[in-house]
Amino acid sequence: MNAAPTRRVRRIATFGLRTRLVLAFLLVAAVSAGTTAALTYREARSAVLVSAQDTAVASFREQVQTLAPSLPVDPETLRELLFVLASKAKPHPWIVFAEYGSLRVSSSTRPTSSVITPELRRTALTTSHGSFQRVVKNGVPYLTIGVPVLTRTSGVGTLPTGLVLFAVMQMSEEQANVDALVTAARDGALPGLAIALVPALIAARSVLRPVRELRRAARSMGSGRLDERIKVSGSDELADLARTFNESAGQLEKSVDELQQAEARARRFASDVSHELRTPLAGMLAVTEVLDEDADGLDPDTARAVRLISAETGKLAVLVEDLMEISRFDARAAELNTDEVDVAETIGKTLLHRRWEDRVSTELPDGIRARLDPRRFDIVVANLVGNALRHGSEPVTVRLRTRTAADGASLLVVEVADSGPGIRPDVLPHIFDRFYKADAARTRSAGSGLGLAITQENVRLHGGTVHAENGPDGGAVFVIEIPLGGPTGYERDNGRNASGTDEATAGVDPSRDDTERAPA
Amino acid sequence: MRVRLRTAAVFAAWLPLTACGIQETDVIGAGSAATVDLLPAREVRMLLFFLSPDGVLMPVPRSVGESEFAGEQHGPDSGEDGGRPATEETIAALLAGPNETEKRAGLVNEASLPALDAPARTRTSVNGVDVILAAPLAGLTRPAEWQLICTVAYAESAEGTPMVTLRGTDGTRTPARCDPQPGVVSSAAATAPR
């Protein structure tokens, strides 16, 4: 039962503000114009009609009064009298009918009228005052008047004679006047409505302009320009809204600024820490190498301790390198040096350099060429394959293919699948998080905990995506999709964001990106 | 709901305009009736009350001098005193019935009026006028009674004000005053055959 009105309301609500304002204005104009026109029309109409009726009734009675018919009336004499009456019609010609006993006489060819209603006839016959009635017959309005004739018996006494005279008058002229009133009312109201459109549009504009400005400002704030402000003019509600918007924008800008500064400080700290760690680590690595070589000459316990220190120092060095890499990504200082390469060949080189070609089976069709940064792509593939070898179990398979995306772009697809137990579903959403360990107990894994995060950042830098899933017959599958033509979309996005956060990231020096990441 | 209200408001605003043009009306009373002088003068006429076909009591003046001219066999004689005709003559003229002119207008006598051969006398009493009819009043209907009362009342007085008591051979009617409002007797609709 409520469905239909609700739908209608919803449909109305989808009208724009301008439409609604204009409609409301038009409605008000229409109602006022209509009411005024209607009331004026009614008054004017009744004035026209009353004037005509009063004139007709009064003059008819006056004319009848001058007749002095002799009683009992003789039809011929009466007809003569009626002709006289008819000739003195006022304000319009009328036809006069007389009734006396069974006599029916008229000034026309027919003795009785079909317009006079039985009610008027009865009233005229049974009362001693005049009466009239408006009758519309076949669309023509008539005024019918009935006047009984009384006779003076003496000075004051009167006696109904039984003679009743009726006049039937067409009100064509009154109808024309009334129709002219309707036309005038319509011709007055319609231009009024048209004129009402002008203030409606002006009012709509005065409301819509600030609203449009607000929307523009809100949109540009949404896209990062927090310094956007609205010009406040006037002191109405919209101006209040603009003022509030400006204040909120100011506060938002301030808190975003503080947040960015805090974040920048945190990043700089991480970056500085990893930098400061690198120099002593380099020395430690050199020392542990020497110790490693001489370990054979030491007693077994000392040799085990020396080897442990050596291994942990190596891991620490990897962790510090990874931290520095991540810092560069966070600072948006990572650069992409693309080159047109044969993808199968690049993957083959990666496996060969790390001596994995025996442990990894490949499905690498020749002839797939893409614009890639070979160094970063190498890191991506190495991280994924290393991850698969470390956490999954062999055989590990690397597959290469291309596909066409929904928007028509050609994508390079690299799949790295292992035959391990797969990834638990509750872990899957976090697999690319930094320092996320799938197994909380295995905190001392071989990786730094940043490998997959770095992989993801690198793939993103290429304008691609990486995701993990479980294969149909067990085992984790990591899928990389990178546009064959290079990271056009990503570069543009990255560039705009970078310019928006210039101040915040200025603390991190891009020139520190001077180190090659050591092969795992 | 709001939309429906709005529609109703618009409709209400335009409603008066929809009743365009000239509307029919009921019967509306408008001023007095036309009043004409009753001719001829009271001195040379008698005023008889006949019934219209609709049963309306209608006063008909009859010139006394013209009775022979009208060729009416039962016309009253000229008044003995040379003035207005006597009431008895007027009653006789009423009982004799309408003349040709009057019949042409459809005027009739109520059938229950006594015949002409029952002469009537009048007598002034304390109450007004007594009319003594040599006929029984039993069959006399109300319209007929009104015919007699009004004719007598206006014969006795110019204003028709005296109380009239009808006395017959079988009794007396309640004294009544002529009240010639149209339609008073029409309810009886007593239309006598001609």
Side-chain angles (χ1 to χ4, degrees), chain B residues 120-146:
Chain B
R121 287 185 297 115
T122 58
R123 189 177 68 192
T124 310
S125 74
V126 279
N127 288 334
V129 186
D130 286 7
V131 178
I132 300 139
L133 292 166
L137 295 180
L140 204 63
T141 58
R142 292 289 293 168
E145 198 179 311
W146 279 113

Side-chain angles (χ1 to χ4, degrees), chain A residues 156-287:
Chain A
V156 287
T158 56
L159 198 58
T161 60
L163 175 63
V164 181
L165 291 169
F166 297 98
V168 174
M169 188 178 86
Q170 269 200 27
M171 300 192 89
S172 313
E173 194 168 313
E174 281 71 25
Q175 181 154 48
N177 287 344
V178 166
D179 289 348
L181 283 175
V182 176
T183 314
R186 192 191 56 210
D187 292 355
L190 287 185
L193 285 188
I195 291 169
L197 261 180
V198 175
L201 290 175
I202 290 175
R205 218 174 82 95
S206 72
V207 171
L208 286 179
R209 206 183 35 216
V211 167
R212 214 179 296 131
E213 211 164 303
L214 262 174
R215 191 182 57 189
R216 187 184 49 75
R219 185 178 289 161
S220 66
M221 274 189 74
S223 56
R225 285 194 290 281
L226 293 178
D227 55 342
E228 185 73 35
R229 295 292 180 273
I230 304 172
K231 196 172 74 180
V232 178
S233 56
S235 56
D236 55 2
E237 288 83 350
L238 286 168
D240 282 348
L241 178 60
R243 215 168 285 125
T244 312
F245 179 88
N246 283 347
E247 286 164 11
S248 307
Q251 280 163 5
L252 191 63
E253 191 184 10
K254 212 171 110 193
S255 31
V256 166
D257 223 35
E258 281 169 5
L259 270 177
Q260 281 176 344
Q261 278 171 11
E263 202 187 337
R265 273 196 302 275
R267 279 188 197 145
R268 201 180 319 169
F269 180 73
S271 163
D272 289 348
V273 164
S274 32
H275 250 275
E276 294 306 321
L277 286 176
R278 217 169 67 157
T279 318
L281 260 179
M284 283 167 74
L285 274 176
V287 173

Side-chain angles (χ1 to χ4, degrees), chain B residues 144-161:
Chain B
E145 198 179 311
W146 279 113
Q147 273 191 277
L148 276 170
I149 290 170
C150 285
T151 305
V152 171
Y154 278 93
E156 287 289 321
S157 139
E159 308 294 338
T161 46

Side-chain angles (χ1 to χ4, degrees), chain A residues 44-54 134 171 174 178, chain B residues 22:
Chain A
R45 178 179 64 179
S46 80
V48 164
L49 293 178
V50 163
S51 139
Q53 281 160 198
D54 287 356
R134 271 206 312 272
M171 300 192 89
E174 281 71 25
V178 166
Chain B
I22 296 177

Side-chain angles (χ1 to χ4, degrees), chain A residues 469-477:
Chain A
E469 60 193 31
N470 284 317
D473 30 78
V477 182

Side-chain angles (χ1 to χ4, degrees), chain A residues 41 45 74 102 130 132 136 150 154, chain B residues 19 21 24 28 30 34 104-105 159:
Chain A
Y41 166 76
R45 178 179 64 179
D74 170 59
S102 60
F132 70 89
V136 178
L150 304 186
S154 64
Chain B
E24 295 206 340
I28 299 166
R104 206 145 48 115
E159 308 294 338

Side-chain angles (χ1 to χ4, degrees), chain A residues 504-516:
Chain A
T505 55
V508 180
D509 188 359
S511 67
R512 292 190 187 176
D513 187 20
D514 54 356
T515 47
E516 290 284 307

